[in-house]
Amino acid sequence: MTELRSILLIFAVGAFLVSPASAGGSDKGSIPEYRLSVSFNLQENSLKGEALIDFPETAKISVSTGRLAIKSASLNGRPVEYRKDEGLIQAYGKGRLEIRYEGVFAGEKSGGENLENAGVVRGGIVSSRGISLTGDWYPSINGLAFYKLSALVPTGFTAISEADEITVRETPAGREYSFAFPHPLN
């Protein structure tokens, strides 16, 4: 008899929902668009990610990276300052900020894993038993942004995130989930 397991991947992007009226009168054209793509390596309890953030107006850009390993960061194709000791990427300008990064999270061998109540896990889990990501699992910007998330998850995993529109596509490497949430998040 085959055991049927349902494994969830939980994404938590943003802390609260803000309507355009409460965003200080900001129109959609002045709010950055943040496209995030992630994939997972269960054996290494890790994720690889790419953040593409389009800033429509010239501004001081500050991105918190926490304990993520930044592989590259550029604004319009030019390298930007990264302060590893402070977990901070800073730039000034407008256009596309590209960040490639990796993160290692708790796994089966680290102990303390609580997949039955994944909402109380801090720092995230990436393991063959499940994936739960909350908090600092992606580079975060200060202020509002429109988010689009794409996650390539292993076969047998189901991804969950805030979204108005969800699409799923089967690939040779697993399922690719795309989440669109056309409301600005902070």
Side-chain angles (χ1 to χ4, degrees):
M1 181 175 235
T2 305
E3 180 182 341
L4 179 62
R5 295 189 321 164
S6 175
I7 303 174
L8 302 178
L9 171 63
I10 301 171
F11 289 103
V13 177
F16 60 89
L17 179 63
V18 180
S19 70
S22 65
S26 296
D27 63 81
K28 188 172 182 174
S30 65
I31 298 174
E33 183 176 306
Y34 193 131
R35 284 174 296 212
L36 181 61
S37 299
V38 294
S39 62
F40 302 91
N41 182 323
L42 301 179
Q43 290 74 33
E44 295 180 5
N45 308 107
S46 66
L47 72 74
K48 284 187 179 182
E50 177 182 60
L52 302 175
I53 311 166
D54 291 317
F55 292 91
E57 296 179 343
T58 301
K60 179 179 179 187
I61 299 167
S62 183
V63 180
S64 175
T65 60
R67 298 182 319 151
L68 297 170
I70 304 304
K71 299 302 178 184
S72 67
S74 63
L75 179 62
N76 300 320
R78 294 191 169 159
V80 296
E81 180 180 351
Y82 171 57
R83 296 182 185 162
K84 183 178 180 178
D85 55 329
E86 295 178 25
L88 195 61
I89 295 172
Q90 291 187 316
Y92 183 81
K94 73 176 189 176
R96 176 166 290 170
L97 178 64
E98 296 183 38
I99 304 168
R100 287 179 179 66
Y101 69 98
E102 295 179 0
V104 177
F105 299 89
E108 292 164 1
K109 296 178 181 140
S110 66
E113 187 174 307
N114 183 3
L115 293 176
E116 280 70 38
N117 195 1
V120 300
V121 174
R122 296 188 193 277
I125 291 173
V126 175
S127 80
S128 60
R129 290 189 53 221
I131 299 170
S132 173
L133 297 173
T134 59
D136 297 334
W137 62 273
Y138 64 97
S140 61
I141 63 173
N142 292 328
L144 297 173
F146 292 99
Y147 286 87
K148 291 183 180 179
L149 171 63
S150 173
L152 180 60
V153 300
T155 302
F157 280 66
T158 301
I160 299 172
S161 180
E162 297 172 284
D164 280 2
E165 181 182 326
I166 302 170
T167 58
V168 182
R169 182 174 73 93
E170 296 292 334
T171 74
R175 283 189 182 139
E176 182 179 61
Y177 287 81
S178 296
F179 302 94
F181 193 75
H183 311 283
L185 291 173
N186 193 5

